[in-house]
Amino acid sequence: MTKNIGSVDRRLRLVPAVVFFVAWAGGLLSGTLLWVLGIVAAVSLVTAITGWCGLYTLLGINTCPLESPKS
């Protein structure tokens, strides 16, 4: 898998994951909302860690900067 998520995008994907885990730990979420936001947070966290997003691949989006050739 070629990385297609840039560093800014990766940091932005960490935000919902952190917010979810803080809200979950604080007992602010329950029921269906807990599960839905948990899945969104988990996907955001995994894509941020791996640097690859399947949806970006399908849509042809790449926010990862091009690597400059080594001289």
Side-chain angles (χ1 to χ4, degrees):
M1 291 184 296
T2 303
K3 292 186 179 191
N4 61 1
I5 299 175
S7 60
V8 173
D9 199 1
R10 290 174 86 171
R11 288 185 185 107
L12 289 175
R13 289 169 184 260
L14 286 174
V15 172
V18 170
V19 168
F20 167 77
F21 289 120
V22 168
W24 172 70
L28 300 174
L29 301 173
S30 64
T32 305
L33 183 62
L34 173 71
W35 286 100
V36 170
L37 292 180
I39 291 168
V40 170
V43 169
S44 292
L45 185 63
V46 168
T47 59
I49 291 171
T50 62
W52 181 81
C53 177
L55 185 59
Y56 273 19
T57 302
L58 291 174
L59 297 175
I61 299 172
N62 186 350
T63 61
C64 191
L66 297 174
E67 294 182 16
S68 58
K70 305 211 184 224
S71 24

